[in-house]
Amino acid sequence: MGLSDVEPECELIMSTDITISLPDAVCQSAAVWAKQAGRSLPDFLTDAIETSLVSLGSTPPPVETWPDDELLAAANASLSPQDDQRLGELLAMQRESSLHDQARSELARLMQSYQEGLVRKAAALREAVRRGLRGPLET
């Protein structure tokens, strides 16, 4: 089910039931957090998703409305060299289990920025190809 299939329905009702598959490690971690918070797993995950979406800010305009120059810039975007290097360092520290709280927060921020950028880049690439501004990526 795509987002456009859900959007109109979300405006008419208070909530929508969905089914998702989570990696076992994510589900186990969420279950521990939920238990510690004294919440049910579904309620905890609902709040976690809502919090994640709120942190993204306002919903961006549809990619179909972006000007060509903004679309191409997003399609070609990547992390800055400094952020890319720091992300690599933090991920290495995480693998070695040597992350302290401040570094863990920094990793979460950089990962969120990276994930947001990937979503934006994928949408921009798809639209740029649709408009004929660039060819499709080669596989």
Side-chain angles (χ1 to χ4, degrees):
M1 175 184 306
L3 182 60
S4 61
D5 298 333
V6 175
E7 234 175 63
E9 194 174 324
C10 288
E11 293 174 4
L12 301 174
I13 59 176
M14 295 297 292
S15 65
T16 301
D17 289 336
I18 64 168
T19 301
I20 61 171
S21 296
L22 297 173
D24 289 342
V26 171
C27 190
Q28 290 167 358
S29 177
V32 169
W33 281 101
K35 184 176 181 180
Q36 289 179 356
R39 313 271 320 275
S40 71
L41 182 58
D43 287 346
F44 177 81
L45 287 171
T46 297
D47 287 347
I49 291 169
E50 185 176 349
T51 300
S52 295
L53 291 174
V54 167
S55 72
L56 294 175
S58 61
T59 305
V63 69
E64 296 82 10
T65 66
W66 296 359
D68 289 353
D69 60 336
E70 184 180 334
L71 190 69
L72 290 171
N76 295 319
S78 60
L79 281 178
S80 71
Q82 297 85 2
D83 283 350
D84 189 43
Q85 179 179 348
R86 183 63 178 152
L87 181 59
E89 292 167 358
L90 291 167
L91 288 170
M93 289 169 64
Q94 182 182 44
R95 280 189 299 276
E96 298 163 2
S97 301
S98 62
L99 274 182
H100 51 81
D101 288 344
Q102 185 178 2
R104 193 172 291 111
S105 295
E106 184 181 4
L107 176 59
R109 182 189 60 77
L110 282 171
M111 285 300 298
Q112 182 171 347
S113 177
Y114 176 73
Q115 290 169 345
E116 290 170 18
L118 282 181
V119 169
R120 182 176 167 92
K121 183 173 187 155
L125 282 168
R126 185 189 78 240
E127 181 62 14
V129 169
R130 188 190 71 76
R131 289 186 198 177
L133 299 174
R134 64 169 294 149
L137 297 177
E138 298 195 22
T139 55

